């Protein structure tokens, strides 16, 4: 399937009932927007003994992604429709998570608790994660993947494509990092743009939106329930006692079958 959440687009492969099929080579080939299908992330649905299903994530460069909030919401919507329910459970590297469909059609998923300790993010050494020793005074938050969040006067004015690559590979982040640039629009309202680890500039990033709201609240800029304008739409984050909930739209674009010739070339 091809799906997207606020413009954050995904290829989703359903591997329930069989062994996992996705490899790094397949992810790179499918992620090529000229010779494959193209995506920000790839999600593979697998069977689970403890939840309705399990999910694995891949970036377009063939690397693994530990979490992907918008892809999770998209797949949960698909599974809820299949099962005729408005709630499902799933397993990712973050553990067992819950998702629900709201009355307006948006889908919410609990992305789990934020990782705030330097070793959990992870960072290369012990530092204050709320004020990293990097130019621009960013914060670090883990959401199953690492994030480096900058609060700037105007997110629209940031050249994300120019700044993102070097920050992604900063030595402080041994597993590389997603990079977010956010500015305050109003009370509990942020504008955010993102460079994703292994993918580049994307129209939205669910885990990045969650990490940004966590950092904004810890810095006293917002409350715990925040509307976030991303390049591809609007997402809502609610940091509750049971975890960080991400809410937004989902869209199912098409179903497809990969050709034998494409698969043989992997």
């Amino acid at each position: 399937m091809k799906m997207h959440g606020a413009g954050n687009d995904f290829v989703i492969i359903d591997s329930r009932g069989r062994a996992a099929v996705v490899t790094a080579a397949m992810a790179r080939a499918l992620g090529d927007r000229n010779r494959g299908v193209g995506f920000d992330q790839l999600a593979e649905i697998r069977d689970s003994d403890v939840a309705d299903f399990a999910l694995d994530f891949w970036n377009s460069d063939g690397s693994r992604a530990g979490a992907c909030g918008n892809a999770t919401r998209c797949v949960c919507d698909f599974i809820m429709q299949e099962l005729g329910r408005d709630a499902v459970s799933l397993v990712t590297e973050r553990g067992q998570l819950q998702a629900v469909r709201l009355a307006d059609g948006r889908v919410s998923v609990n992305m789990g608790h934020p990782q705030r300790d330097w070793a959990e993010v992870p960072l290369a050494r012990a530092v204050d994660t709320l004020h990293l020793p990097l130019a621009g005074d960013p914060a670090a938050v883990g959401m199953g993947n690492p994030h480096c969040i900058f609060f700037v006067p105007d997110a629209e004015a940031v050249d994300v494509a120019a700044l993102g690559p070097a920050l992604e590979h900063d030595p402080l982040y041994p597993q590389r990092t997603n990079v977010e640039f956010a500015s305050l629009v109003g009370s509990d309202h942020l504008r955010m743009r993102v460079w994703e680890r292994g993918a580049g500039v994307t129209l939205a990033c669910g885990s990045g939106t969650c990490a940004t709201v966590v950092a904004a609240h810890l810095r006293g800029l917002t409350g715990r329930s925040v509307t976030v304008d991303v390049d591809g739409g609007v997402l809502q984050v609610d940091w509750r006692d049971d975890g960080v909930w991400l809410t937004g739209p989902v869209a199912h674009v098409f179903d497809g079958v990969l050709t034998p010739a494409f698969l043989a070339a992997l």
Side-chain angles (χ1 to χ4, degrees):
M1 293 177 288
K2 185 70 182 286
M3 302 186 76
H4 77 85
N8 197 188
D9 69 325
F10 316 104
V11 164
I12 297 160
I13 294 178
D14 192 346
S15 291
R16 288 175 295 173
R18 66 180 179 192
V21 299
V22 177
T23 63
M26 179 184 288
R28 286 192 296 270
L30 279 173
D32 189 318
R33 295 188 183 274
N34 299 112
R35 298 176 176 84
V37 179
F39 59 75
D40 292 332
Q41 276 80 35
L42 182 153
E44 185 173 21
I45 309 173
R46 298 186 295 102
D47 293 312
S48 171
D49 294 330
V50 298
D52 291 311
F53 63 98
L55 271 182
D56 293 329
F57 304 107
W58 302 76
N59 295 312
S60 55
D61 67 353
S63 61
R64 294 294 296 267
C68 185
N70 286 322
T72 300
R73 294 190 308 98
C74 285
V75 176
C76 287
D77 184 67
F78 167 73
I79 299 292
M80 283 189 279
Q81 291 189 46
E82 179 182 85
L83 299 178
R85 289 160 35 190
D86 289 324
V88 290
S89 63
L90 68 146
V91 173
T92 73
E93 286 189 17
R94 294 283 280 151
Q96 189 164 342
L97 306 177
Q98 306 295 320
V100 297
R101 183 189 293 110
L102 306 183
D104 60 8
R106 293 182 302 161
V107 174
S108 294
V109 62
N110 184 347
M111 293 291 290
H113 294 287
Q115 298 157 313
R116 297 164 53 190
D117 183 80
W118 71 271
E120 291 182 319
V121 173
L123 299 176
R125 62 184 189 276
V127 295
D128 180 358
T129 56
L130 200 55
H131 295 279
L132 297 180
L134 298 176
D137 188 31
V141 175
M143 288 299 308
N145 51 6
H147 297 270
C148 183
I149 305 112
F150 292 82
F151 293 99
V152 297
D154 181 8
E156 299 280 356
V158 176
D159 191 342
V160 178
L163 297 175
L167 290 165
E168 175 187 347
H169 293 271
D170 190 280
L172 188 58
Y173 285 87
Q175 297 179 7
R176 299 184 294 161
T177 185
N178 291 17
V179 186
E180 288 80 27
F181 301 92
S183 53
L184 195 63
V185 176
S187 176
D188 294 332
H189 189 178
L190 294 171
R191 172 71 170 103
M192 187 201 82
R193 300 176 66 208
V194 61
W195 173 274
E196 289 201 58
R197 176 184 64 168
V201 176
T202 60
L203 297 183
C205 175
S207 63
T209 305
C210 293
T212 298
V213 169
V214 168
H217 175 69
L218 292 174
R219 285 199 175 184
L221 300 175
T222 68
R224 296 171 71 101
S225 180
V226 181
T227 299
V228 183
D229 298 333
V230 294
D231 285 352
V234 179
L235 298 170
Q236 180 73 30
V237 174
D238 295 287
W239 185 10
R240 306 174 191 169
D241 291 340
D242 62 346
V244 184
W245 285 79
L246 173 71
T247 302
V250 297
H252 186 163
V253 182
F254 64 81
D255 295 331
V257 178
L258 301 175
T259 67
F262 179 86
L263 294 172
L266 295 176

